Amino acid sequence: MKPVDLFRLAVEEIGDASAAELSAHMEKKHGFKVEPAFIPLFKATLRDLERMTRIRQEAKREQPAQAA
């Protein structure tokens, strides 16, 4: 599993907690150590991935309408 996927899972499990809490949870529950200083980067990456997924889904829905 990718680190970002582990981070997404940790956020789903404990919610929007502090960087130290998320870091400790990821290490304890998933065995993946992330320094708390990197948690904001993971949050930004997760937001970007979710935004891109949403944009791609919207583009797929609009594509058949444009073909007509």
Side-chain angles (χ1 to χ4, degrees):
M1 194 175 253
K2 293 180 182 180
V4 172
D5 294 330
L6 290 174
F7 179 75
R8 178 183 293 135
L9 187 58
V11 169
E12 288 175 4
E13 292 170 349
I14 66 170
D16 191 26
S18 71
E21 291 171 332
L22 282 167
S23 176
H25 178 78
M26 286 179 68
E27 185 173 6
K28 182 178 179 184
K29 179 101 185 220
H30 304 288
F32 185 75
K33 182 173 173 68
V34 175
E35 293 296 322
F38 291 106
I39 296 296
L41 294 173
F42 276 91
K43 285 182 179 182
T45 301
L46 187 60
R47 276 193 311 269
D48 288 345
L49 288 172
E50 289 171 349
R51 184 177 57 86
M52 288 303 297
T53 300
R54 189 175 58 250
I55 289 170
R56 286 183 180 133
Q57 289 173 347
E58 290 172 2
K60 283 183 182 179
R61 281 182 277 183
E62 291 177 7
Q63 198 171 26
Q66 292 176 352

